[in-house]
Amino acid sequence: MTAHDTPTPDAGGDGVGERAVGRYDLVIVGAGPAGLAAAGVAARAGLRVAVLDAGARIGGQYFRQLPEGFRAARPGALHHGFSRFVRLRDALGDADILLGHRVWAVERGPGGGFAVHCLEGREERARTVAAARLLIATGAHDRVLPFPGWDLPGVMTAGAAQALLKGNLVMAGRRVVVAGTGPFLLPVATSLAAAGATVAGVFEAGGRFALAPQALARPGKAAEALAYGYRLARHRVPYKGGRAVVAAHGDGELTHVTVAKVDADWRPYRGGQETIECDTLAVGYGFVPQLDLPAQLGCETSRDAAGGPVARVDRHMRTSVAGVYAAGETTGVGGADLAELEGVIAGRAVVADALGTPVAGDPADPRTEARRRRLAGFARALLRAYPVGDGWTSWLHDDTLICRCEEVPYGRVKEARDLGAADARSIKLLARPGMGWCQGRICGEAVARLAGEDPAPPRRPIAQPVSLGDLAAMDGRDEWKET
Amino acid sequence: MPDVVVIGAGMIGAACAYYAAREGLSVTLVDRGAVAAGTTGSGEGNILVSDKEPGPELDLAMLSCRLWTELASEARELGGFEYEPKGGLVVAENDEVLRALAELAGHQEKSGVVTRAVAADELADYEPHLAPGFAGGVFYPQDAQVQPMLAAARLARRRPSVTLRTGTEVTGLLTERGRVTGVRTDAGDIPAGAVVNAGGTWGGEIAALAGVDLPIMPRRGFILVTEPLTGLPSHDASGAPGSSVGSGPLVRHKVYTAAYVTNVASDSAGLETSAVVEATQAGTVLIGASRERVGFDRTVSLPVLARLARQAVGLFPALADVRAIRAYCGFRPYCPDHLPVIGADPRVPGLYHACGHEGAGIGLAPVTGLLIAQLITGAAPELDPAPFRPDRFAEAAA
Ligand SMILES: Cc1cc2nc3c(=O)[nH]c(=O)nc-3n(C[C@H](O)[C@H](O)[C@H](O)COP(=O)(O)OP(=O)(O)OC[C@H]3O[C@@H](n4cnc5c(N)ncnc54)[C@H](O)[C@@H]3O)c2cc1C
Ligand SMILES: Cc1cc2nc3c(=O)[nH]c(=O)nc-3n(C[C@H](O)[C@H](O)[C@H](O)COP(=O)(O)OP(=O)(O)OC[C@H]3O[C@@H](n4cnc5c(N)ncnc54)[C@H](O)[C@@H]3O)c2cc1C
């Protein structure tokens, strides 16, 4: 953050091509559209690049969508972005792709640069990768709102439903309800239906046509929405707005859900409830940027249109910490197109900064910039069109779990508030939501909202569980060695 | 108008409010954040007599230890704050350290501390999973622990004559002819008969509002938290003595090495760690804490976490396979002489200080509250508060 921390351009003596052994010019965490796009740009410019991802393959959230078998049967039909994926993949050049690497901490190395600490593979082998520059493209995770029965087997997030599709768990025969809010409910429902599941209904808690005015401003997206609508109709999937799944039921596993008609704040109307049988419920209330790593480095955040924290970047995707860049959903949830474009911009900025040349020299920039503004504007409009209504708290009962890791029911959260816990942090301290395995990734947003706050940027010095033995082995090392 | 305004709803402020109310006073307890929002919410809840050398702080700790027992038995469920009188085991790396430890224990006994010498071959009876090779140790049955956030919240609520006002920042003190007559807050003035500064690490700033100097500074500490454990991990290959013991908690008491004793009183600004390992009712193991003087810097320090981990694994080899899931840090309020500030400020009538407890503010909270209440009501203090006088620093400087 201070001036002497500014990395010096790698040009000259220790320049690109002639770099210190073991240290990458650029390490990218996250192999989604953003990370891949940046890697391609930087690798083509001759930088030595490594892309790290916890997953078993590249592609991130977006390209993870397509089930292997489905793609083989009907290439590209489900996934209009497939050719784009191939293009991104083929552009990676000689970038090193390190899959199965969970990054649990990043820190500044001595003499500038960064140490990226990972756990590799199932054995969780500890490994440290050294980087001159760091791009954080860790995407976002599902936003979860608790409701009675959400902890039943069979209830999953929209993102997890994708994983179900991906693994060869055949969907055929399953009866699925898709609920929540936002435009991603549509692709989830259509891909489930296409995989052979019976989609008993899609319930959008916001108004059904919340998106319409914005979609009209972007003909491409409107066409996309129409195409989804068409596919839903073909699979005879009912799509209803102003309705929410307010409870899930079942004895040991999900058997049915209660769908209620809700007002603009998501408070259920009296009456107007129906029961729908299903064995799977996919809920999606949007996404929360994954900011653990930028927070560890002290990168500043700002707020998105819905009040959530995002990494603050300049127009070249530089964070407030010299040498650290962010792209994709970490800078705000905005879909795959925006993520990829931001990756390109970040890649160019890294190259320019590494060579010590101005970024502005690129003639393509004004157009890229304009496109990014347009896409970001659309993303903002979407966030505004699909706000999370405060009324979801009225779905809770005293025994509804808020935090699954620590088994904290709503009643205990209320008790903590009565004891003087006036904010999210003190609710956590007194009632323990967010203190368990997931460190509040699942319940953090709900607890913040219950405290009447916008969620704060995460503070997770250990982003992924790491064994004390591995941590202990780091003691006393005085110099960064790649392991 | 309340008889007393207490500034700061941390462990100390909550205890001051509780004891003042018990003496029949009406209290308004204000905090700019929530209850336990300060250091109380980012530390641990050890109530230790074992780590203190004979002297005024140990006297405080002995009395406080007894008061904690009373507080816990006063209500159901061990006070509603997870009070556990589990005892502490201090182990010595070699014979020389053991001799120093035994000598310290001997002195501590004269102050009323109960100690029990533990020979090397008896250590496993206390801690079956302790690493082999320690020269011996001392067991301190009076060491206990509480969940500090719950303790502060419950004590603040226990007396109906305490009004808690969170989200209220004190921005100034009301004075009349040199006497403090209340506080000015961002939500209006609160006149009162007496004002207690329980601002913890920010106690110096509150003193400054009254125009007096109180040299309280932050001393950073990190704590590592493991995944919840249910008995011993099945893959225990530690070869620790007593690994035949089978299931049961991995860590049973508060366990630390004797090096801790020298660290607490240290004046070094650099990093010092001597891991205290303890299990909590939530099933996690807490490993804390480091001591560093780096101002209010929250940046994660991996080297510190690594050091704590190494020391913990050194004590309990089976911990090597246990995963750390969280870490956090807090800022202990410390004074140059490592003693708290407790008492009336002779420079500003009406103002009392109760802050600067460094790494012992949870343990010392009840005695602090009791003394402050007695000083405000004019009762004879249960213990001579002279060593904790607020104006002692000015004398030292002069
Ligand atoms: C169900 C669903 C449907 C969607 N449908 C559409 C759609 O139709 N159209 C559209 O435009 N967008 C859609 N999206 C959104 C799209 O997937 C995202 O906008 C896009 O993937 C964001 O790209 P990214 O590169 O920022 O992050 P991601 O694609 O999320 O990639 C981030 C990567 O970082 C990795 N990672 C995170 N943390 C770590 C760590 N600590 N260590 C190692 N690796 C880590 C993750 O494993 C992941 O692979 C959908 C998303 C979902 C979940
Ligand atoms: C890592 C670590 C481990 C520790 N372990 C132990 C242990 O095991 N045992 C032990 O006894 N102690 C331990 N401690 C020390 C203990 O936490 C502190 O001594 C104790 O919490 C201090 O309590 P306090 O009430 O004085 O301060 P705080 O809890 O900080 O309370 C002060 C309050 O004053 C409020 N405040 C400040 N200024 C204003 C203002 N202007 N207006 C309104 N409100 C204001 C703050 O918001 C805060 O809530 C540890 C500390 C750390 C950091």
Side-chain angles (χ1 to χ4, degrees):
Chain A
M1 272 171 280
T2 46
H4 69 265
D5 286 327
T6 311
T8 41
D10 297 333
D14 185 29
V16 179
E18 197 198 316
R19 56 199 76 84
V21 186
R23 177 158 125 159
Y24 288 97
D25 299 318
L26 172 64
V27 165
I28 299 171
V29 186
L36 292 179
V41 170
R44 280 198 305 279
L47 298 199
R48 189 161 172 252
V49 179
V51 185
L52 276 57
D53 199 294
R57 42 186 127 157
I58 59 169
Q61 285 280 14
Y62 187 62
F63 297 117
R64 204 171 293 176
Q65 276 191 89
L66 63 170
E68 214 60 61
F70 191 82
R71 188 204 303 154
R74 306 171 54 197
L78 174 66
H79 210 278
H80 47 276
F82 187 60
S83 57
R84 212 165 91 199
F85 172 68
V86 172
R87 188 159 40 75
L88 281 175
R89 185 190 61 195
D90 294 348
L92 285 173
D94 61 1
D96 287 343
I97 311 295
L98 306 176
L99 294 172
H101 280 64
R102 289 190 291 133
V103 177
W104 65 270
V106 286
E107 74 179 318
R108 286 157 199 273
F114 303 91
V116 182
H117 303 290
C118 346
L119 297 168
E120 185 190 352
R122 276 183 189 285
E123 312 76 45
E124 306 195 337
R125 198 173 76 87
R127 171 170 189 194
T128 297
V129 179
R133 286 185 169 72
L134 187 63
L135 170 62
I136 297 170
T138 43
H141 59 82
D142 290 88
R143 173 182 289 127
V144 177
L145 297 180
F147 54 91
W150 70 291
D151 49 327
L152 277 172
V155 181
M156 59 190 73
T157 62
Q162 265 180 270
L164 238 192
L165 276 176
K166 189 185 71 177
N168 242 350
L169 290 166
V170 185
M171 289 307 300
R174 284 190 173 254
R175 231 178 115 75
V176 187
V177 165
V178 178
T181 193
F184 296 130
L185 298 183
L186 291 172
V188 171
T190 48
S191 36
L192 287 167
T198 304
V199 180
V202 180
F203 302 100
E204 163 61 61
R208 173 163 185 180
F209 298 110
L211 174 63
Q214 282 78 24
L216 289 179
R218 272 206 69 208
K221 281 286 162 184
E224 207 174 283
L226 280 177
Y228 284 125
Y230 166 73
R231 261 183 255 138
L232 285 177
R234 209 184 46 182
H235 292 289
R236 289 196 187 61
V237 174
Y239 175 79
K240 294 186 185 167
R243 279 180 183 69
V245 168
V246 295
H249 315 274
D251 186 12
E253 62 183 64
L254 182 69
T255 50
H256 56 288
V257 296
T258 303
V259 175
K261 257 182 136 158
V262 295
D263 66 15
D265 285 335
W266 296 13
R267 247 164 271 277
Y269 289 110
R270 221 180 283 245
Q273 303 209 335
E274 58 180 317
T275 299
I276 298 184
E277 282 180 24
C278 58
D279 55 25
T280 305
L281 168 65
V283 255
Y285 285 104
F287 302 95
V288 180
Q290 188 97 54
L291 299 179
D292 301 350
L293 303 183
Q296 286 179 353
L297 289 167
C299 299
E300 285 168 21
T301 57
S302 53
R303 302 239 165 227
D304 67 16
V310 297
R312 195 167 69 73
V313 287
D314 69 7
R315 66 195 177 94
H316 302 296
M317 314 312 292
R318 297 183 188 109
T319 69
S320 62
V321 175
V324 182
Y325 306 72
E329 313 261 71
T330 49
T331 71
V333 171
D337 291 356
L338 181 58
E340 183 180 335
L341 190 65
E342 289 189 351
V344 170
I345 296 171
R348 286 183 190 158
V350 169
V351 170
D353 293 348
L355 299 175
T357 56
V359 194
D362 191 326
D365 262 345
R367 260 190 300 143
T368 313
E369 175 87 24
R371 200 163 155 247
R372 174 175 174 230
R373 267 208 301 274
R374 210 169 57 239
L375 286 171
F378 182 66
R380 270 197 304 277
L382 274 183
L383 274 183
R384 284 203 203 92
Y386 293 99
V388 172
D390 290 336
W392 66 270
T393 55
S394 68
W395 311 345
L396 304 172
H397 303 317
D398 278 357
D399 62 353
T400 306
L401 284 189
I402 300 298
C403 167
R404 284 203 287 207
C405 304
E406 293 287 320
E407 298 183 0
V408 181
Y410 182 44
R412 279 239 294 284
V413 170
K414 289 201 292 191
E415 219 177 276
R417 278 194 311 211
D418 292 344
L419 271 173
D423 55 21
R425 176 166 176 264
S426 49
I427 288 177
K428 170 174 159 178
L429 293 174
L430 292 183
R432 299 192 63 81
M435 288 221 182
W437 265 105
C438 84
Q439 288 197 69
R441 283 189 187 85
I442 294 174
C443 66
E445 172 112 5
V447 173
R449 299 290 173 202
L450 285 172
E453 291 168 22
D454 284 334
R459 227 192 255 161
R460 298 189 185 106
I462 299 177
Q464 307 271 328
V466 57
S467 80
L468 288 171
D470 284 337
L471 247 185
M474 285 169 58
D475 186 35
R477 71 208 160 163
D478 42 24
E479 137 188 2
W480 287 114
K481 280 197 219 89
E482 219 198 344
T483 47
Chain B
M1 165 174 137
D3 297 320
V4 185
V5 165
V6 177
I7 309 169
M11 188 67 250
I12 298 292
C16 289
Y18 169 85
Y19 282 99
R22 215 183 65 166
E23 296 292 312
L25 303 172
S26 62
V27 182
T28 298
L29 176 60
V30 296
D31 201 295
R32 61 181 168 203
V35 64
T39 309
T40 299
S42 50
E44 283 179 278
N46 295 313
I47 301 171
L48 302 184
V49 293
S50 56
D51 67 335
K52 295 176 182 62
E53 295 185 25
E57 201 194 0
L58 182 57
D59 296 340
L60 272 186
M62 287 305 295
L63 176 51
S64 215
C65 219
R66 203 186 77 216
L67 295 174
W68 269 119
T69 320
E70 286 171 23
L71 288 172
S73 57
E74 197 179 274
R76 284 175 302 126
E77 258 193 86
L78 296 168
F81 42 70
E82 302 180 8
Y83 175 74
E84 268 191 277
K86 55 162 59 166
L89 179 68
V90 184
V91 296
E93 293 88 335
N94 54 46
D95 289 334
E96 194 190 327
V97 175
L98 184 60
R99 267 194 301 279
L101 179 63
E103 193 180 324
L104 173 66
H107 294 313
Q108 287 170 321
E109 289 218 316
K110 293 190 196 109
S111 305
V113 178
V114 179
T115 70
R116 212 180 288 158
V118 181
D121 60 356
E122 293 169 343
L123 285 171
D125 299 339
Y126 288 84
E127 293 292 342
H129 306 291
L130 191 72
F134 285 103
V138 173
F139 183 67
Y140 293 84
Q142 289 154 320
D143 282 355
Q145 78 188 36
V146 293
Q147 204 276 35
M149 296 76 86
L150 278 176
R154 297 254 186 235
L155 280 198
R157 279 283 185 235
R158 204 173 270 180
R159 295 273 160 176
S161 51
V162 175
T163 308
L164 175 64
R165 288 183 55 177
T166 56
T168 306
E169 173 149 17
V170 171
T171 54
L173 296 178
L174 308 176
T175 52
E176 239 169 67
R177 274 178 266 117
R179 189 186 164 80
V180 172
T181 55
V183 296
R184 169 149 295 159
T185 79
D186 55 2
D189 292 354
I190 312 176
V195 172
V196 178
N197 167 16
T201 317
W202 303 272
E205 291 166 26
I206 291 168
L209 295 177
V212 292
D213 188 46
L214 215 54
I216 295 179
M217 290 154 292
R219 198 171 182 192
R220 183 171 78 173
F222 274 98
I223 291 177
L224 268 174
V225 188
T226 70
E227 60 189 310
L229 302 182
T230 45
L232 236 204
S234 52
H235 46 278
D236 174 33
S238 63
S243 48
S244 57
V245 166
S247 65
L250 180 55
V251 181
R252 301 180 180 192
H253 307 90
K254 308 182 166 302
V255 183
Y256 58 91
T257 59
Y260 183 88
V261 182
T262 52
N263 273 354
V264 174
S266 163
D267 275 323
S268 150
L271 167 67
E272 291 161 25
T273 58
S274 173
V276 178
V277 182
E278 62 171 315
T280 67
Q281 285 191 4
T284 55
V285 171
L286 296 187
I287 302 163
S290 55
R291 291 168 184 266
E292 275 172 290
R293 287 187 218 153
V294 289
F296 285 104
D297 181 359
R298 288 202 166 274
T299 323
V300 185
S301 169
L302 285 182
V304 176
L305 300 185
R307 178 71 52 87
L308 285 172
R310 203 195 68 201
Q311 292 177 348
V313 171
L315 283 167
F316 293 96
L319 282 176
D321 293 327
V322 170
R323 281 178 284 193
I325 59 170
R326 300 193 277 128
Y328 59 87
C329 74
F331 300 93
R332 302 175 187 87
Y334 86 94
C335 294
D337 59 4
H338 302 284
L339 288 179
V341 180
I342 304 171
D345 195 321
R347 301 163 293 186
V348 197
L351 178 65
Y352 296 77
H353 299 290
C355 44
H357 293 71
E358 195 158 346
I362 307 306
L364 300 181
V367 71
T368 303
L370 180 69
L371 288 177
I372 290 288
Q374 289 170 333
L375 292 169
I376 293 176
T377 57
E382 199 131 332
L383 192 145
D384 177 15
F388 317 112
R389 281 188 332 274
D391 55 340
R392 64 184 192 264
F393 309 104
E395 290 161 20

